[in-house]
């Protein structure tokens, strides 16, 4: 039994139906994921949806601890699209972006509405981060260098986690956050899927938003939306930027994407109109500042 396998048995981690360990994980054969090893369906909570995948290159014992990109993604607050998106290969490609750039990539699945309404998403983000802080050293990652990437519905869950300390766990802090095309405050014209998560009573939407808590944090934030997003999403991003820039903490880094077909597409190139270089710059900034 390898050292990593023994450690996994010791802490009670559950892989899916295979006997593979992180040390023996299969390498994706696609071009973007060549030489990237995956560890699948590691359980971080009680629900069957509370699982995460880890991607890395090389042997976790060969280098100093690496930064961690945690991807919290889903096109919807409900089942169906959210489940498919979280499990899809396009998110694997985003994890491979992290691994190819000297980081550890983590993709988290979370509970979905209507069975699990607000604040289940934020609580799951907190639980996943707590798991990562306790166990990511087994994969060569740094527990103090976690950057949470929230995409679409996942952007709200990350923002809500940041803005509501009451949902956080004792060891669930992050060094930075990337928020992509999210809804940060639901409104009376919320869609049916949004209402299934936030509830039908619009009078409660303000207290269930990311505000005002997210305006009081010092966590570095990279905020992004796409020129192809619906006007409502663009307005949400612009409003969050305005409020953060006028807050007592800091103005976020901001990127306007050229497209947003999927989580992997926004990291598709290291040049203009993508999140690749701005995300790497954020990680380098955090490393230079020695955060958190």
């Amino acid at each position: 039994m390898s050292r990593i396998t023994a450690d996994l048995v010791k802490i009670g981690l559950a892989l899916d139906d295979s006997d593979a360990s992180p040390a023996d994980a299969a390498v994706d054969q696609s071009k973007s994921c060549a030489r990237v090893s995956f560890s699948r369906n590691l359980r971080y909570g009680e629900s069957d949806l509370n699982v995460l995948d880890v991607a890395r290159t090389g042997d976790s014992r060969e280098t100093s601890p690496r930064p961690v990109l945690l991807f919290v993604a889903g096109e919807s607050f409900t089942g169906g699209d959210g489940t498919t998106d979280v499990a899809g290969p396009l998110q694997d490609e985003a994890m491979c972006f992290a691994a190819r750039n000297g980081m550890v990539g983590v993709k988290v699945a979370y509970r979905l509405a209507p069975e699990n309404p607000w604040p289940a998403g934020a609580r799951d983000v907190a639980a996943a981060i707590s798991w990562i802080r306790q166990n990511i050293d087994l994969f060569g990652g740094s527990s103090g260098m976690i950057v949470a990437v929230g995409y679409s519905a996942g952007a709200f869950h990350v923002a809500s986690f940041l803005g509501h300390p009451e949902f956080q766990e004792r060891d669930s802090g992050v060094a930075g956050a990337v928020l992509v095309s999210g809804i940060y405050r639901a409104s009376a014209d919320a869609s049916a899927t949004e209402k299934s998560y936030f509830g039908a009573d619009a009078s409660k939407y303000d207290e269930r938003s990311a505000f005002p808590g997210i305006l009081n944090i010092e966590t570095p934030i990279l905020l992004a939306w796409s020129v192809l997003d619906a006007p409502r999403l663009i307005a949400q991003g612009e409003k969050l930027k305005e409020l953060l820039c006028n807050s007592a903490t800091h103005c976020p880094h901001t990127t306007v994407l050229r497209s947003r077909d999927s989580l992997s597409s926004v990291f598709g190139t290291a040049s203009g109109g993508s999140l690749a270089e701005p995300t790497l710059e954020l990680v380098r900034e955090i490393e230079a500042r020695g955060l958190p």
Side-chain angles (χ1 to χ4, degrees):
M1 179 181 291
S2 71
R3 178 184 69 84
I4 291 181
T5 304
D7 286 339
L8 289 173
V9 171
K10 178 180 67 176
I11 62 178
L13 302 185
L15 296 171
D16 63 359
D17 296 333
S18 72
D19 293 324
S21 71
D24 303 316
V27 176
D28 191 296
Q29 297 303 309
S30 69
K31 182 178 180 181
S32 65
C33 291
R35 296 182 297 279
V36 176
S37 299
F38 289 89
S39 300
R40 302 288 193 183
N41 291 339
L42 304 177
R43 189 177 294 275
Y44 71 86
E46 296 180 357
S47 169
D48 288 343
L49 289 173
N50 291 150
V51 294
L52 52 80
D53 295 346
V54 180
R56 71 180 190 280
T57 58
D59 190 318
S60 62
R61 295 166 292 184
E62 292 177 353
T63 61
S64 58
R66 309 168 188 177
V68 179
L69 283 190
L70 167 63
F71 296 99
V72 184
E75 292 289 354
S76 173
F77 289 98
T78 61
D81 289 343
T83 304
T84 301
D85 189 57
V86 167
L90 292 177
Q91 289 199 23
D92 281 358
E93 293 180 21
M95 291 173 42
C96 293
F97 160 81
R100 292 195 315 272
N101 284 280
M103 297 177 281
V104 177
V106 180
K107 175 182 69 177
V108 62
Y110 51 84
R111 293 172 294 166
L112 300 166
E115 291 82 4
N116 300 281
W118 185 92
R123 291 191 183 280
D124 282 357
V125 170
I129 293 169
S130 179
W131 186 98
I132 292 168
R133 289 180 66 92
Q134 294 174 34
N135 298 294
I136 204 62
D137 62 311
L138 300 177
F139 306 88
S142 170
S143 62
M145 272 294 300
I146 302 169
V147 175
V149 181
Y151 175 86
S152 193
F156 172 78
H157 294 319
V158 172
S160 182
F161 158 79
L162 293 172
H164 288 270
E166 67 272 23
F167 302 147
Q168 299 172 15
E169 301 188 8
R170 181 178 56 84
D171 55 351
S172 61
V174 295
V178 181
L179 304 176
V180 186
S181 299
I183 289 174
Y184 308 108
R185 175 185 276 139
S187 57
D189 61 348
S191 68
T193 58
E194 291 166 23
K195 289 179 180 178
S196 71
Y197 182 72
F198 292 104
D201 186 353
S203 69
K204 296 183 178 180
Y205 288 174
D206 278 350
E207 68 184 67
R208 295 180 178 180
S209 75
F211 304 104
I214 197 171
L215 306 180
N216 301 321
I217 65 172
E218 296 184 357
T219 306
I221 293 175
L222 169 59
L223 181 61
W225 59 88
S226 170
V227 295
L228 300 180
D229 278 340
R232 181 171 175 235
L233 288 179
I234 295 174
Q236 290 267 330
E238 291 176 339
K239 187 62 176 181
L240 177 55
K241 177 184 177 181
E242 175 190 346
L243 292 174
L244 283 170
C245 289
N246 290 326
S247 72
T249 53
H250 60 83
C251 200
H253 302 276
T254 307
T255 294
V256 178
L257 306 170
R258 292 177 180 170
S259 64
R260 188 179 68 82
D261 298 327
S262 67
L263 178 61
S264 66
S265 71
V266 303
F267 290 101
T269 175
S271 58
S274 131
L275 267 182
E277 189 57 35
T279 299
L280 295 175
E281 289 177 359
L282 176 66
V283 171
R284 288 193 290 264
E285 173 188 319
I286 293 170
E287 287 181 306
R289 293 170 59 184
L291 295 176

